[in-house]
Amino acid sequence: MQPPILNIRDLEVEYDTSKGQLKAVAGLSLEVRQREVVGLVGESGCGKSSVALAINRLIPSPPGRITGGQILYKGRDLLSVSERKMRSIRGGEIAQMFQDPMTYLNPVMKVRTQLAETIAAHQGLSGPRALDGAIELLERLHIPSPSRIIESYPHELSGGMRQRVLLAMAISCNPSLLVADEPTTALDVTIQMQILNLLKESVTDLQTSLLLITHDLGVVAEICDRVYVIYCGKVIEHGNVYQIFENPQHPYTRGLLGSALSIAEFKEDLVAIEGAVPNMLSPPLGCAFHPRCPSCMYVCTNRLPEILQMEPDHQVACWLFSNHV
Ligand code: SF4
């Protein structure tokens, strides 16, 4: 088994709001091994994006802050390195992709300037060599007419093309880890598949590890080796992609899969998870999923479930499988 390149332990992230403190991440642990593609999946509002931001220490502060845990990257806790060191790791070793490339691309600069600057910063190339490197990268991502794309401003490109440019910038530093937060959510289905295939191809070629954050189980099934399912800022089940898709244990994972399969098969009796993600300002006691869970028992309403090992590398946090109830 490959050693983890990223090991997050008991991470906690909070935000101040006008109504009180909101705990977006509540003791989350996960690991990404070398050259592995790991999915972090859950509904909107479960804390996924806060995990993505925390890895690169980009939680906006105020109102947010990391209040506990460790983020070990190659064994070193990123929460205790200097900001200077963090700047060299961010973008240099850990690259990030976002749902909306326009939040990352500068709208008043041509692609050539942005890409060549990134290459110059990370590869030490300058002038024409950086520009050649930029065109080469776009060609590697199968972008047609790279010389035309490079002379465009971001607003002149389609959403899919902007996401490709962002991927080119992300991999230009040959990162050890890529964190992609909903990279295909804003795109139509055909383009989604193209971007996913490019992501997969790029991380395989570069031997990069990928943490893919998404609400879409179809995306997870397509490219992930292992999956963490998150609910209310905590991992409630994790396993390899076969364990999660063929033998899901947690009622929430089963509900997510039920909804996804029903939509895919156009079933009329759509299986959806009843209710909504709780307000994280006042999360439920006990198992956070209990107000929505069809298997809820009394213990679930007042005690946090134990984390149980179901099979090697397959864990679940649910009282249904405990011998202590
Ligand atoms: Fe449902 Fe209880 Fe399991 Fe939570 S711990 S998922 S409420 S059965």
Side-chain angles (χ1 to χ4, degrees), residues 250-252 287-291 293-297 299-301 303 305 317-321:
H250 197 282
Y252 178 63
C287 170
F289 188 58
H290 86 253
C293 181
S295 311
C296 179
M297 302 171 284
V299 64
C300 311
T301 62
R303 282 177 63 198
C318 174
W319 284 119
L320 281 179
F321 307 99

Side-chain angles (χ1 to χ4, degrees), residues 182-245:
E182 302 276 11
T184 58
T185 300
L187 306 172
D188 71 44
V189 179
T190 327
I191 308 295
Q192 275 189 16
M193 280 312 299
Q194 291 174 8
I195 298 291
L196 278 182
N197 288 335
L198 277 177
L199 251 178
K200 197 172 175 179
E201 195 180 306
S202 303
V203 295
T204 307
D205 284 356
L206 296 171
Q207 304 200 332
T208 297
S209 306
L210 171 64
L211 177 61
L212 179 67
I213 293 170
T214 179
H215 69 282
D216 187 338
L217 281 161
V219 167
V220 169
E222 205 57 49
I223 69 168
C224 291
D225 302 313
R226 285 191 307 119
V227 189
Y228 288 82
V229 183
I230 180 176
Y231 191 75
C232 288
K234 273 189 181 18
V235 170
I236 50 91
E237 182 162 8
H238 100 259
N240 67 42
V241 78
Y242 303 103
Q243 289 163 335
I244 295 297
F245 279 82

Side-chain angles (χ1 to χ4, degrees), residues 125-296:
L125 301 175
S126 56
R129 290 181 64 208
L131 194 56
D132 287 348
I135 292 181
E136 219 172 89
L137 255 179
L138 296 183
E139 280 169 350
R140 200 152 114 197
L141 295 177
H142 315 300
I143 293 182
S145 321
S147 329
R148 180 182 61 79
I149 297 297
I150 216 156
E151 294 302 336
S152 309
Y153 289 95
H155 72 267
E156 294 174 317
L157 304 176
S158 66
M161 194 56 75
R162 285 200 285 262
Q163 204 53 290
R164 282 183 174 88
V165 169
L166 198 58
L167 176 58
M169 288 171 81
I171 63 171
S172 66
C173 62
N174 213 344
S176 302
L177 173 67
L178 176 59
V179 180
D181 186 5
E182 302 276 11
T184 58
T185 300
L187 306 172
D188 71 44
V189 179
T190 327
I191 308 295
Q192 275 189 16
M193 280 312 299
Q194 291 174 8
I195 298 291
L196 278 182
N197 288 335
L198 277 177
L199 251 178
K200 197 172 175 179
E201 195 180 306
S202 303
V203 295
T204 307
D205 284 356
L206 296 171
Q207 304 200 332
T208 297
S209 306
L210 171 64
L211 177 61
L212 179 67
I213 293 170
T214 179
H215 69 282
D216 187 338
L217 281 161
V219 167
V220 169
E222 205 57 49
I223 69 168
C224 291
D225 302 313
R226 285 191 307 119
V227 189
Y228 288 82
V229 183
I230 180 176
Y231 191 75
C232 288
K234 273 189 181 18
V235 170
I236 50 91
E237 182 162 8
H238 100 259
N240 67 42
V241 78
Y242 303 103
Q243 289 163 335
I244 295 297
F245 279 82
E246 285 174 20
N247 190 23
Q249 299 293 319
H250 197 282
Y252 178 63
T253 313
R254 290 191 201 167
L256 277 183
L257 279 163
S259 315
L261 291 176
S262 298
I263 292 165
E265 293 165 6
F266 300 103
K267 280 188 188 166
E268 278 178 21
D269 53 340
L270 183 72
V271 184
I273 305 174
E274 300 248 325
V277 175
N279 182 346
M280 292 301 283
L281 283 165
S282 52
L285 284 178
C287 170
F289 188 58
H290 86 253
R292 304 171 74 186
C293 181
S295 311
C296 179

Side-chain angles (χ1 to χ4, degrees), residues 66-77:
I66 295 171
T67 51
Q70 288 182 308
I71 300 177
L72 301 169
Y73 168 68
K74 294 184 176 170
R76 189 173 186 183
D77 189 2

Side-chain angles (χ1 to χ4, degrees), residues 14-49:
E14 280 181 9
Y15 295 90
D16 293 326
T17 75
S18 58
K19 294 183 179 154
Q21 273 176 0
L22 183 149
K23 189 156 249 178
V25 183
L28 176 138
S29 299
L30 66 76
E31 61 178 41
V32 181
R33 299 166 196 150
Q34 284 179 4
R35 297 192 287 279
E36 196 181 31
V37 179
V38 172
L40 180 60
V41 67
E43 292 166 286
S44 301
C46 280
K48 306 185 298 291
S49 293

